[in-house]
Amino acid sequence: MRAIMGAQRAEAIADVRDRLAEVHRLRAKVEQVQGRSLDAPALPAYPALSRLLPGGGLRPGSVYTLAPGSASVSLLLALLAPPSQAGSWCGVVGMPHLGAEAAERLGVDLSRLVMIPDPGSRWLAVAATVAEVLPVVAVRPPGRVSDADAARFAARLRDRDGVLLVQGPWPQAEASLSVSDPGWSGLGRGHGYLDAREVTVTVASRRLSTPRRGPVLLPAPGGVVDAARGTSPAVRGASEREALSVREVLSVREALSVREALSVREALSVREAG
């Protein structure tokens, strides 16, 4: 009887070992096809954004799209900041109006930032070349990207453990991020200083059963990024005329420092004088 039980146990152990060997074999094959380790750690993100991103950060070998808009520029910079602070080089392609000062205010390490404002008609080839040497690349496509080009770019990213951030559409993206419901705080009745902007960030991904969304201060009063904690931005409660005035100066405000608040009265006087 003991001999039978011993034989059954040995057979069970052998079966488990065979199954584990098969798992390891399949895992190695997948890693070979993808050109990277499945255990490659995600690049860091601000806590306010990591709770929304699949895996808690930017997955190596992946593409993330951001819906166009002024607020998405701040979101893009907020995604670049933690990787650059952690030592990763970042490249920005095709964004001539992106301000270095605004990037620094949101935490981007400028010593690890390469900017190519005007890559010309061969922007895709330029972006792909940059992705060969820099682990994080941001691009604003001037036109549609074909599925074939996107597949070739994705293969290059997987081979280099790179991350691509796209302001606009891109086929087969890991996740899509959008910003909505912007509201500024720090504004009185037609005067004062804008010191924080609360937005709703939504992340949709094939890895998520439902989109994740949450309020984020982009920027927070300190100049970087933080989770919103029940703030009540004054712009949302302002009159229609005051809110319109704020919207008119936001484009000016976006091009300047994200931390240095701009007086609404001063901005409007500049606009009227021009």
Side-chain angles (χ1 to χ4, degrees):
M1 187 66 177
R2 287 183 178 180
I4 295 176
M5 292 179 62
Q8 291 176 341
R9 178 177 297 179
E11 184 178 349
I13 292 175
D15 183 61
V16 170
R17 286 176 177 172
D18 290 342
R19 290 177 182 271
L20 287 175
E22 179 67 11
V23 169
H24 289 309
R25 186 187 68 79
L26 292 174
R27 183 187 183 89
K29 187 174 181 179
V30 170
E31 289 181 359
Q32 183 180 7
V33 172
Q34 291 187 336
R36 63 186 176 92
S37 170
L38 294 178
D39 293 328
L43 294 178
Y46 284 124
L49 298 175
S50 66
R51 61 192 176 92
L52 302 176
L53 292 169
L58 302 176
R59 295 172 57 90
S62 300
V63 179
Y64 296 82
T65 62
L66 294 85
S70 60
S72 74
V73 175
S74 296
L75 179 58
L76 184 145
L77 293 175
L79 292 171
L80 290 178
S84 71
Q85 294 170 11
S88 296
W89 280 84
C90 302
V92 177
V93 180
M95 300 185 187
H97 302 297
L98 187 68
E101 185 181 3
E104 186 177 33
R105 296 297 186 184
L106 275 170
V108 177
D109 184 350
L110 297 185
S111 68
R112 295 189 174 275
L113 180 66
V114 177
M115 302 180 72
I116 306 175
D118 186 8
S121 59
R122 293 180 56 82
W123 66 270
L124 186 60
V126 172
T129 301
V130 174
E132 287 281 350
V133 293
L134 303 184
V136 186
V137 177
V139 64
R140 179 185 293 162
R144 183 182 177 277
V145 179
S146 68
D147 291 344
D149 286 338
R152 284 191 290 268
F153 207 123
R156 186 167 303 190
L157 288 175
R158 290 193 296 268
D159 183 58
R160 298 290 182 177
D161 279 350
V163 170
L164 180 66
L165 304 176
V166 183
Q167 193 181 36
W170 190 277
Q172 300 298 316
E174 166 74 15
S176 300
L177 292 79
S178 60
V179 179
S180 60
D181 304 324
W184 288 91
S185 62
L187 178 68
R189 296 191 61 79
H191 61 86
Y193 291 89
L194 304 173
D195 62 0
R197 174 175 56 185
E198 180 182 329
V199 299
T200 298
V201 175
T202 302
V203 178
S205 171
R206 54 190 175 183
R207 299 181 185 275
L208 301 174
S209 56
T210 58
R212 294 176 182 171
R213 57 176 52 87
V216 176
L217 293 179
L218 186 67
V224 285
V225 180
D226 198 2
R229 297 177 176 84
T231 56
S232 181
V235 173
R236 290 178 181 161
S239 68
E240 182 178 353
R241 185 171 182 273
E242 290 168 345
L244 178 62
S245 299
V246 173
R247 287 196 296 270
E248 290 172 341
V249 302
L250 288 187
S251 58
V252 179
R253 172 66 166 71
E254 191 74 23
L256 299 176
S257 161
V258 211
R259 181 182 297 170
E260 299 289 336
L262 177 66
S263 165
V264 175
R265 282 184 172 175
E266 291 175 356
L268 290 177
S269 64
V270 170
R271 179 178 62 82
E272 292 172 357

